[in-house]
Amino acid sequence: MKQIVTNEPIALADYTHAIENLLEDFGAERDRITDTKSALLNILEDSAAEKAQIEETQRAVLNILEDFMIEQARVSAVQRAMLNILDDFSAEKNSLQETQKAVLNILEDFETEKNKVEAINHTLTKRTEELAWSNAELEQFAYVASHDLQEPLRMVSSFVMLLQKRYQGQIDDKADKYIYYAVDGAKRMQELIEGLLEYSRAGRSEIALVPVDLNEVLRRALTNLRRSIEESQAQVAAQPLPTVSGSVQQLISVFQNLISNAIKFHKPNSRPHIWITSRHAGAEWIISVKDDGIGMELAYSNKIFGIFQRLHTRTEYPGTGIGLAICKKVIERHGGRIWVNSKIGEGANFQFTLHATADQL
Amino acid sequence: MSKHLLLVEDNPADAELVRVGLDESSIPTKLSVVQNGEEALAFVRRQAPYTEAERPDLILLDLNLPKIDGRQVLRELKADPAYKQIPIVVLTSSVAPGDVQKAYEMHANSYVKKQVDLDEFMRVIHSFESFWLEIAKLP
């Protein structure tokens, strides 16, 4: 087209022809264009339909995608949750494993401990058996020894006493003194052996525990001590006492030993006062025998319950040192405890526990 | 007429104490001493070496003796019609309830414990002597 415009010196007919040609061409062109246009339109139409369809599809896809996204979000949320859970779980698992390990360690330790404890237990049981055996043997020995020793001792003491009776003042002062020491020694040995016999008897047979009225026990102990109470002018004050589970004879000996001690260890030139009281403590009664005597140092408060243990010379206070050992043995065989509270110069308070009878519980 | 007492005692010291006790009293008593059960039976039955022995009026018998012990002496004499009327007093240091019971079952005429204390021992001997050799009428 540009070429045509620049070739001006062309004839009109030519122009017309040219224009007609052009028009024709144009027409053809126009037709073609129309065709093309219609084709295009067709195409476009088709394409529109296509587009709608595509759009439809796209929308569907989008919908699907949207749904999928939602789904996916949900899935990731779930996944996250699951991961969290798994995370937690793994933390949990770790701590669980830790715990398990710790438990295993503990169990292992426990096993070791258990074995140790069992070994100790075994040793203890064995020791206890051995002790019980040697205790029984010792008691048997004490009984037999004291019983058999009594015979030759009876001879010694009988004949030195006979010597004293028949020949005192007939030889010389020295002879009298020697005989006196021999008689005194024999007497003391007799007391010791009798004490030992009494002590071993207190542990020999099984005691039958029956309801025992301690008022009656006290009354009988005081009757046995009548002479020493009169001589010392002791004042014994007793509260009403309970009925306990025990052995009458053995409990009489406990009261008798404690009261006779309270009388024996009174302050010089003063009349002994003794108070006997009781109080309830759970399934037990605590009995107290308290005096205003010379008392003792706290350091000795355990020692005095040992057999043949004494805190004074025989010249100061006579005795064998067996009384409190018997008390301890009797009370322990009754399932109780005995102890003393005391201070020098402030008297002594002996206390012991006994089981209440079943109806008092 | 003094009574004849047979003491069956293996311990010479105890026999001496009995003798001392009897001597202290004014009751005239003839005392013979044998040291075991075998001798005791032979003495009562006048078997060798006691063919010349005088029949005792009363027997004081210890239980624990060597060879034939006091229990067997008691059993044999109390089962023998010739001697069962002779009173037998058991004198022993045992006070085991079983011993006491058994002695009376075998017809002991009494059971006396040897006292540990000398004065008590003497008191027992004096009481025994006074009752059995003075108060009691013997066959």
Side-chain angles (χ1 to χ4, degrees), chain A residues 147 150-151 154-155 157-159 161-162 165-166 187 190 194, chain B residues 11 13-14 16-17 20 24 93 114-119 121:
Chain A
H147 189 263
Q150 230 171 17
E151 273 307 291
R154 191 166 60 82
M155 294 302 106
S157 69
S158 295
F159 283 96
M161 280 174 79
L162 208 54
K165 254 177 153 177
R166 299 263 169 110
K187 272 188 189 162
Q190 229 159 46
E194 268 162 27
Chain B
N11 180 357
D14 262 334
E16 182 61 26
L17 286 180
V20 168
E24 282 177 354
S93 54
K114 283 178 189 168
Q115 294 297 317
V116 174
D117 181 82
L118 178 71
D119 292 337
F121 186 95

Side-chain angles (χ1 to χ4, degrees), chain A residues 233-254:
Chain A
Q233 294 186 298
Q235 278 208 320
V236 182
Q239 275 182 352
L241 297 174
T243 294
V244 297
S245 178
S247 143
V248 180
Q249 281 309 322
Q250 295 200 351
L251 291 180
I252 290 174
S253 103
V254 170

Side-chain angles (χ1 to χ4, degrees), chain A residues 56-294:
Chain A
E56 192 71 17
T57 306
Q58 205 175 26
R59 230 187 342 266
V61 167
L62 279 172
N63 279 344
I64 290 170
L65 277 173
E66 201 176 326
D67 284 4
F68 177 73
M69 288 298 282
I70 292 170
E71 208 48 35
Q72 202 200 34
R74 209 181 296 158
V75 167
S76 12
V78 171
Q79 203 176 26
R80 232 189 342 265
M82 277 183 81
L83 280 172
N84 281 343
I85 290 171
L86 279 174
D87 209 5
D88 285 4
F89 176 73
S90 108
E92 217 37 47
K93 198 181 121 184
N94 282 342
S95 89
L96 213 70
Q97 270 173 349
E98 285 301 309
T99 307
Q100 203 177 25
K101 238 182 339 240
V103 166
L104 280 173
N105 279 341
I106 290 171
L107 278 175
E108 202 176 313
D109 285 3
F110 177 73
E111 192 66 23
T112 318
E113 270 324 285
K114 203 180 114 188
N115 286 342
K116 262 193 240 169
V117 167
E118 269 173 8
I120 291 172
N121 256 350
H122 181 74
T123 316
L124 263 178
T125 311
K126 223 175 120 199
R127 290 264 163 82
T128 311
E129 274 168 16
E130 280 170 4
L131 259 178
W133 174 242
S134 66
N135 248 354
E137 231 177 355
L138 215 68
E139 267 171 17
Q140 183 63 18
F141 172 78
Y143 183 79
V144 170
S146 47
H147 189 263
D148 288 0
L149 282 173
Q150 230 171 17
E151 273 307 291
L153 177 65
R154 191 166 60 82
M155 294 302 106
V156 173
S157 69
S158 295
F159 283 96
V160 290
M161 280 174 79
L162 208 54
L163 202 62
Q164 190 177 43
K165 254 177 153 177
R166 299 263 169 110
Y167 299 97
Q168 186 154 36
Q170 290 185 34
I171 312 169
D172 60 16
D173 287 353
K174 265 189 185 166
D176 286 354
K177 198 162 73 183
Y178 297 165
I179 292 169
Y180 168 78
Y181 285 137
V183 168
D184 188 53
K187 272 188 189 162
R188 204 159 77 217
M189 185 143 175
Q190 229 159 46
E191 285 170 10
L192 287 175
I193 285 179
E194 268 162 27
L196 201 59
L197 259 174
E198 196 188 334
Y199 180 78
S200 70
R201 259 188 235 118
R204 268 163 72 81
S205 49
E206 285 301 312
I207 48 167
L209 298 180
V210 294
V212 176
D213 177 4
L214 288 183
N215 298 298
E216 176 62 14
V217 166
L218 175 63
R219 196 189 60 74
R220 287 170 64 180
L222 292 176
T223 306
N224 294 344
L225 292 167
R226 196 174 44 215
R227 198 201 287 179
S228 101
I229 290 173
E230 277 167 11
E231 281 171 4
S232 64
Q233 294 186 298
Q235 278 208 320
V236 182
Q239 275 182 352
L241 297 174
T243 294
V244 297
S245 178
S247 143
V248 180
Q249 281 309 322
Q250 295 200 351
L251 291 180
I252 290 174
S253 103
V254 170
F255 273 86
Q256 202 171 316
N257 274 308
L258 292 180
I259 295 167
S260 98
N261 271 356
I263 293 173
K264 192 201 292 181
F265 298 104
H266 69 269
K267 284 179 184 159
N269 309 317
S270 99
R271 174 178 186 179
H273 291 83
I274 299 154
W275 297 271
I276 296 157
T277 55
S278 66
R279 61 184 196 276
H280 214 193
E284 290 179 331
W285 284 98
I286 301 175
I287 315 296
S288 156
V289 178
K290 189 173 177 290
D291 64 54
D292 59 351
I294 58 171

Side-chain angles (χ1 to χ4, degrees), chain B residues 121-134:
Chain B
F121 186 95
M122 291 306 169
R123 196 177 58 78
V124 166
I125 296 301
H126 297 154
S127 312
F128 158 81
E129 191 185 23
S130 142
F131 180 78
W132 285 103
L133 301 175
E134 195 178 45

